[in-house]
């Protein structure tokens, strides 16, 4: 467009230098086609690990860009409709990019083919390519805090629903009780003993039982809300190091505790109802 | 020097029957100035192997049996009030030895474990504000029972990373076991072993190992391996730069033991399971036990040339 | 605003530099307030960049635009026209730079910058201007590149890339420049305003002519096809002055008459090329009697060449002249009437003297001879400092001062001839020229301006005669400078004119060389237009017919070849093949693959060799040897010589060949 205007000026003023500049720009465009193309040729992309994310968060998709030959400047990466991110790769080297993708729904987030484009050096041409990296990120349900109507101790059938099990624990001091063989020496109330009240043991309870059950079936509301609530409690219980069991229709996880257990539970929640109990790795 | 090394290996192999490769790797690990983690069931000869190595290498040997009530002070040493002198006197712990056998390391509490592992990393210990250097050379051979066994504290990944290699001995072959049954007790053999190296000799060999040539092409292969662990989704995490350094050191050492002054991809392939095995975990593997299948996958899928 | 759209720092840096570079050559005709505007905007933009100031909001922008528009109107009196347009472009460029926020704005600024560069050519298209314009163009490209590059790349990286892009584009540009067909102007465009160009004017007083000869500006250059004529024969006709009002000589009505007078070519012709500097006049220079090869110029009734439009840019044309031709031998008295015109009154002494002369010498030719002898023998002085004259300029000159410049002599002679009843007129033009030995061309400067006389005789037509020759023959034979040696008045008012110092040898040579460069530039670059292009291309093509469609195909082909070779240069496909060692190993792999042993990708050379050795026990040694050398070369840091490796490979190949051979024999 600009070149056309310049050409018109050159013709109308019969100005050789204006012609020359017009031709120079034209030649530059031709040269730029090659440069732009070269900027994309020989670039290898590889998806790196994707950390799981909660609904509403941003999935960080790691990408590894490797240059096999040339330097690659201002490579724009992104999915259709999203903002492109610029990335530089020096010649024969590797650079890592992290692309953000909003996690909108629970389950596997599969952004589809990645658009890789280059406008470098002059921005008048664009070379692009669609790359299928088979990236997928696991999206956990959004944790929503709320009261659990039931945190049932699984093995204590005599206790009614809704009641809180008081299990021997370490959290709260409840009182003293007579010593029984097997009680920890550490818990003996020596002061009481010295006062001649006999061997008494300080008794502690945990607010909830040592083994809790998060049961999908005992919740009400729509599926997503229930999963969100369960998700919240999985995180909550995990943060205090509690042992718990997650019961989903057709699936029981635990009892267990720890990071791995949490991951398994969250994964199960994320993939609940998707038909894939254990998604692809 | 190489003749001595061969002598050393053959001596060790006389004691430790039918496990030439493991013995070789263990020696390679020591030559690369790395610490060794032996992981196996009780009674597989871990302690014997450590003893043997200490003997033939001519190293001052200390064994620390790790138990759940072992305290850091029991390893590093403590200051005890001496009535006669009227002040605290430092009594150095068993760690001030050249070769330490940390037996059943995973039975000790994490606190004790980390006391040892810090000493391994830094080559010195700080006790009550005073920094004391550990002897040179300083090797740790730790043994651990498989994680599944009860009464164990699993070593965290950060600690595992400090061991250059993890070896697992495995059951002996039938013939070897038969010889074992019919022959002398291995423990009785130990006192008869003559050291093959002195300290200077060992240091010289370690120098030579460090000088083994690693070409660009080989480094590229090594990097391809490492990058594969970092990018491929089946790996929970990749090999750290410390891991890559360990890999290259072990490769050099192995190449040296093979009589070459340059390393080739086959060297990497030999040492990779021992060096990388405990540094990798499969994403889907929730037990955390680690799996040789990952290393096998690496060896199979990463192009060599 | 998208993060990616923000203008990177290095791009902004280059764009500000571009502004400086683009504005600099325009400064000579830009109104001074532009500089203030420019400095202010640059300062503001820098403050915006440092986050000390905000972008101008809508009101401020509108105010700025309105006030600059008003300022242009005030300083130029108009908003249209080339000069005002150029200023408008500049202000747009400056203001857009101020308010550019994102990449799109920056691109607009860049394109405005390119336009500003092109506009600059309309005012000055000399060699220096062209070379200089490479600076802003490179900086513009650097700014453009910077838009797509991280800040981390630094300021120099875009510049370096811009330079290499320019170099790569240069061959393509040259091809396009040479072969792209030039079109005639599609429509008229506003031209640069008349600059104060010195040169001959439509009417001239003697004083103006003297003034003109103080200028060392170039008028035109000439290249002759053959031998250079003698200096004294180089009378370059521009126009004729026929109307005399007692003070000034003005252009004749004949010279406006687009009717070729009667004449016939006689004698040896002279062919030459002329490039005129722009002078805003429509007449062209030529030797007598010319035929011009141009569509838009023709001969007028007074034998001078006239162009349809004024010469507003350097113009090249080709002319053939027949100096010996007879010119209009049978003119009608009606057409000659203008050549006898005299003012009613004035110069009575001259009129009386002319009457006397006519009576004593009835033959016009003899009368002319008497006159010339008079100039020759009487104490006339040829000078650039003529003494002042009164009302009757011819009387005073002839009978009192007797000192004058060419126009004085030509004017006086014409006056006398007319008073004696002989049709005569003053011819204005240039005489002589300076030879540039390197370029073998003549440069004619303003100080070569000259006036002479032509009179008409029945049967013989117009005859040129130069009274100045009688007074100062050295002026005609060698030039004004020689003629003024005594008086030392040559280019007196212009101490910087290099012509004054032509005595200094090296300086003169330098001046000549530079002039030669300029001439070549004009001849081969600036005037590479329309017909000129056709002629040159035709010359190259030889006997082939020049056809634009073939030329187009050829152009595309040449461009394709050039871009192809550029692509080769950029991609260097030959480099992608691994080095010799790797190539040999690939061949080795293929060789063994032919035997059914394919290397797995995870197999190292040694492992593969061991496997192959098991399958081919007879060749095991050759395989191991080759692998050993390969391994050594690739991994040991002490590579084996390529020859050694090739030999090992050959040995292996021979071994395998003999095996195949043996197998064949068994079958």
């Amino acid at each position: 467009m600009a070149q056309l205007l310049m050409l018109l000026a050159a013709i109308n003023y019969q100005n050789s230098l204006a012609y020359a500049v017009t031709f120079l720009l034209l030649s530059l465009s031709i040269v730029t086609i090659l440069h732009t193309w070269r900027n994309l040729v020989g670039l290898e992309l590889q998806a790196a690990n994707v950390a799981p994310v909660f609904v509403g968060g941003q999935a960080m998709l790691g990408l590894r860009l490797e240059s096999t030959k040339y330097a690659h400047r201002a490579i724009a990466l992104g999915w259709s409709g999203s903002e492109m991110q610029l990335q530089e790769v020096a010649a024969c080297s590797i650079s890592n990019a992290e692309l953000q993708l909003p996690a909108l729904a629970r389950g596997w987030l599969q952004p589809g083919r990645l658009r890789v484009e280059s406008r470098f050096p002059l921005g008048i041409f664009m070379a692009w390519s669609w790359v299928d990296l088979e990236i997928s990120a696991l999206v956990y349900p959004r944790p929503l805090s709320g009261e659990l109507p039931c945190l049932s101790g699984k093995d204590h059938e005599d206790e009614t629903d809704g009641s809180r099990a008081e299990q021997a624990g370490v959290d709260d001091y409840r009182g003293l009780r007579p010593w029984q063989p097997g009680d920890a020496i550490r818990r003996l109330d020596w002061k009481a003993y010295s006062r001649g009240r006999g061997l008494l043991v300080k008794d502690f309870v945990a607010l909830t039982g040592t083994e809790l059950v998060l049961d999908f079936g005992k919740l009400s509301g729509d599926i997503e809300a229930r999963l969100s609530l369960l998700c919240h409690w999985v995180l909550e219980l995990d943060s205090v190091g509690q042992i718990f069991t997650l019961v989903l229709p057709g699936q029981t996880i635990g009892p267990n505790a720890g990071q791995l257990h949490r991951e398994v539970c969250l994964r199960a929640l994320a993939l609940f109802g998707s038909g894939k109990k254990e998604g692809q790795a | 020097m190489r003749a001595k090394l061969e002598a050393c290996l053959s001596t060790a192999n006389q004691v430790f029957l039918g496990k030439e490769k493991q013995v070789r790797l263990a020696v390679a690990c020591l030559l690369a100035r790395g610490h060794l983690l032996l992981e196996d069931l009780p009674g597989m000869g871990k302690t014997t192997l450590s003893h043997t190595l200490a003997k033939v290498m001519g190293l001052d040997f200390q064994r620390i049996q790790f138990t759940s009530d072992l305290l850091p002070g029991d390893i590093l040493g403590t200051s005890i009030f001496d009535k006669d002198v009227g002040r605290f006197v430092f009594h150095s712990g068993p760690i001030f030895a050249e070769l330490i056998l940390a037996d059943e390391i995973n039975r000790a509490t994490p606190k004790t474990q980390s006391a040892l592992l810090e000493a391994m990393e830094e080559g010195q210990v700080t006790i009550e504000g005073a920094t004391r250097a550990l002897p040179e050379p300083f090797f740790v051979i730790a043994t651990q029972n498989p994680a599944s066994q009860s009464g164990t504290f699993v070593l965290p990944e950060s600690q595992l990373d400090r061991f250059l290699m993890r070896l697992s001995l495995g059951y002996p072959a039938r013939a070897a076991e038969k010889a074992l049954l019919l022959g002398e007790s291995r423990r009785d053999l130990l006192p008869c072993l003559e050291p093959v190296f002195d300290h200077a000799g060992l240091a010289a060999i370690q120098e030579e190992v460090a000088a083994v040539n690693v070409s660009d092409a080989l480094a590229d292969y090594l990097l391809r391996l490492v990058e594969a662990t970092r990018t491929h989704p089946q790996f929970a995490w990749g090999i750290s730069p410390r891991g890559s350094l360990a890999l290259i050191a072990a490769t050099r050492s192995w190449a040296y033991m093979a009589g070459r002054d340059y390393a080739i991809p086959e060297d990497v392939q030999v040492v990779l399971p021992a060096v990388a095995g405990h540094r990798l975990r499969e994403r889907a593997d929730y037990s955390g036990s680690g799996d040789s299948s990952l290393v096998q996958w690496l060896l199979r899928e990463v192009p060599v040339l | 605003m998208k993060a990616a759209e923000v203008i990177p720092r290095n791009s902004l840096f280059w764009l500000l530099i571009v502004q400086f570079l683009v504005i600099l050559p325009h400064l000579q005709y830009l109104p001074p307030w532009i500089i203030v505007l420019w400095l202010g905007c640059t300062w503001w933009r820098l403050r915006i960049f440092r986050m000390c100031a905000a972008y101008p909001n809508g009101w401020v922008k509108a105010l700025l635009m309105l006030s600059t528009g008003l300022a242009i109107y005030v300083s130029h009196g108009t908003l249209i026209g080339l000069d005002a347009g150029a200023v408008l472009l500049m202000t747009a460029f400056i203001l857009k730079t101020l308010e550019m926020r994102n990449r799109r704005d920056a691109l607009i600024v860049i394109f405005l910058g390119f336009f500003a560069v092109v506009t600059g050519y309309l005012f000055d298209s000399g060699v220096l201007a062209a070379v200089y314009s490479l600076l802003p163009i490179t900086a513009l490209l650097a700014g453009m590149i910077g838009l797509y590059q991280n800040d981390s790349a630094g300021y120099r990286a875009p510049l370096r890339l811009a330079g290499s892009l320019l170099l790569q584009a240069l061959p393509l540009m040259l091809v396009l420049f040479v072969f792209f067909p030039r079109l005639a102007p599609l429509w008229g465009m506003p031209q640069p305003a008349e600059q104060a160009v010195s040169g001959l004017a439509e009417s001239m007083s003697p004083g103006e002519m003297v003034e003109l000869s103080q200028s060392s500006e170039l008028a035109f250059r000439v290249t002759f096809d053959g031998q250079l004529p003698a200096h004294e024969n180089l009378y370059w006709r521009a126009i004729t002055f026929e109307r005399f009002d007692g003070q000034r000589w003005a252009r004749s009505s004949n010279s406006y008459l687009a009717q070729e007078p009667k004449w016939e070519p006689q004698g040896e012709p002279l062919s030459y090329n002329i490039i005129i500097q722009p002078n805003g006049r429509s007449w062209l220079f030529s030797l007598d009697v010319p035929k011009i090869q141009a569509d838009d110029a023709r001969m007028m009734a007074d034998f001078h060449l006239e162009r349809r439009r004024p010469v507003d840019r350097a113009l090249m044309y080709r002319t053939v002249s027949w100096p010996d031709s007879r010119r209009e031998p049978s003119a009608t008295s009606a057409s000659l009437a203008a050549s006898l015109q005299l003012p009613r009154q004035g110069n009575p002494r001259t009129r009386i003297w002319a009457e006397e002369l006519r009576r004593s010498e009835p033959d016009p030719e003899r009368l002319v001879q008497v006159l010339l002898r008079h100039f020759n023998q009487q104490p006339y002085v040829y000078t650039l400092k003529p003494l002042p004259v009164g009302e009757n300029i011819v009387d005073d000159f002839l009978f009192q001062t007797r000192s004058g410049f060419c126009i004085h002599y030509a004017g006086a002679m014409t006056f006398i001839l007319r008073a004696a009843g002989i049709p005569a007129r003053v011819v204005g033009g240039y005489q002589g020229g300076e030879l540039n030995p390197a370029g073998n061309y003549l440069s004619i400067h303003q100080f070569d301006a000259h006036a002479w006389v032509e009179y008409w005789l029945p049967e013989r037509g117009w005859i040129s005669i130069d009274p100045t020759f009688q007074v100062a023959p050295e002026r005609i034979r060698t030039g004004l400078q020689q003629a003024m040696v005594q008086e030392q008045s040559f280019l007196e008012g212009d101490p910087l004119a290099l012509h004054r110092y032509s005595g200094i040898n090296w300086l003169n040579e330098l001046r000549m060389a530079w002039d030669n460069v300029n001439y070549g530039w004009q001849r081969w670059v600036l005037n590479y237009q329309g017909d000129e292009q056709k002629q040159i291309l035709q010359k190259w093509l030889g006997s082939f017919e020049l056809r634009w469609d073939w030329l187009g195909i050829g152009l595309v082909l040449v461009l394709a070849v050039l871009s192809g070779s550029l692509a080769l240069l950029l991609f260097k496909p030959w480099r992608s093949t691994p080095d010799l060692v790797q190539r040999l190993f690939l061949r080795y792999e293929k060789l063994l693959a032919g035997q059914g042993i394919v290397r797995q990708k995870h197999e190292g050379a040694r492992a593969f060799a061991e496997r192959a050795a098991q399958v081919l026990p007879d060749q095991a040694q050759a395989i191991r040897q080759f692998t050993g050398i390969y391994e050594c070369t690739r991994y040991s840091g002490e590579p084996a010589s390529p020859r050694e490796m090739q030999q090992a490979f050959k040995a292996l190949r021979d071994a395998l060949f003999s095996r195949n051979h043996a197998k064949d024999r068994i079958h």
Side-chain angles (χ1 to χ4, degrees), chain C residues 201-469:
Chain C
E202 304 246 325
S203 80
M204 295 196 84
S205 68
E208 284 166 358
M209 195 82 176
V210 172
E211 219 167 86
L212 187 58
S213 68
Q214 295 286 2
S215 162
S216 64
E217 221 170 276
L218 185 72
F220 60 97
R221 295 192 182 94
V222 191
T223 316
F224 281 92
D225 282 0
Q227 191 73 33
L228 206 63
H231 193 274
E232 61 255 39
N233 292 334
L234 295 171
Y235 281 90
W236 304 101
R237 176 189 291 262
I239 45 166
T240 52
F241 299 111
E242 269 179 329
R243 284 190 295 122
F244 183 58
D245 62 356
Q247 296 297 325
R248 304 174 68 86
W249 285 93
R251 210 177 141 175
S252 64
S253 50
N254 260 347
S255 72
Y256 292 107
L257 194 61
Q259 185 189 41
E260 188 163 335
K262 269 195 191 147
W263 67 282
E264 271 168 26
Q266 278 175 358
E268 281 296 303
L270 294 167
S271 345
Y272 48 94
N273 274 315
I274 293 187
I275 296 180
I276 305 192
Q277 293 300 110
N279 56 16
R281 310 288 178 195
S282 54
W283 54 72
L284 304 178
F285 309 112
S286 60
L287 295 174
D288 286 332
V289 176
K291 267 189 185 167
I292 188 166
Q293 295 165 4
D295 300 332
D296 56 349
R298 56 178 304 175
M299 185 187 278
M300 307 301 271
D302 65 343
F303 294 95
H304 94 269
L305 298 174
E306 180 90 4
R307 194 160 170 265
R308 204 166 291 151
R309 278 171 293 123
V311 181
D312 44 31
R313 56 177 188 83
L315 172 79
M316 175 149 113
Y317 56 90
R318 189 171 172 74
T319 313
V320 184
S321 290
W322 284 264
D324 302 333
S325 303
R326 267 206 270 175
R327 291 178 281 156
E328 213 174 11
S330 51
T332 58
S333 54
S335 69
L336 291 174
S339 301
L340 288 165
Q341 171 267 336
L342 280 177
R344 292 248 168 90
Q345 287 151 7
N347 302 308
R349 286 184 69 183
T350 313
R351 286 179 202 251
I352 294 165
W353 184 45
E355 198 57 35
E356 283 168 14
L357 276 176
R358 181 159 106 176
R359 252 182 271 128
S360 61
E361 300 289 348
D363 179 20
E365 228 171 320
R366 292 215 35 180
L367 192 147
V368 168
Q369 290 306 319
V370 169
L371 260 182
L372 290 180
R373 218 176 300 130
H374 169 80
F375 285 128
N376 192 4
Q377 287 164 0
Q378 299 299 315
Y380 281 97
V381 181
Y382 181 69
T383 176
L384 280 171
K385 299 169 177 170
L387 295 169
V389 290
E391 187 82 352
N392 297 319
I393 60 169
V394 182
D395 274 7
D396 291 356
F397 166 68
L398 280 177
F399 303 110
Q400 282 169 24
T401 64
R402 293 201 168 179
S403 72
F405 195 51
C406 53
I407 183 86
H408 292 98
Y409 294 97
M413 181 152 180
T414 307
F415 191 96
I416 297 166
L417 288 179
R418 284 187 180 181
I422 304 169
R425 58 195 180 196
V426 176
V427 188
Y430 297 86
Q431 201 280 323
E434 178 185 41
L435 178 69
N436 189 317
N440 196 29
Y441 62 89
L442 288 174
S443 302
I444 290 91
H445 301 90
Q446 296 299 351
F447 58 71
D448 289 318
H450 191 57
W452 62 96
V453 182
E454 61 183 8
Y455 64 98
W456 186 85
L457 288 181
E459 305 300 319
R460 296 201 37 203
W462 290 99
I463 298 164
S464 292
I465 205 78
D466 190 357
T468 312
F469 185 78

Side-chain angles (χ1 to χ4, degrees), chain A residues 46-49 64 94 260, chain B residues 227 230-233 281 283 286:
Chain A
Q46 217 170 17
N49 301 334
R64 200 174 67 108
I94 293 167
L260 286 169
Chain B
E227 276 157 12
R230 290 174 191 170
T231 52
H232 209 272
R281 210 184 77 193
R283 178 168 285 269
Y286 298 107

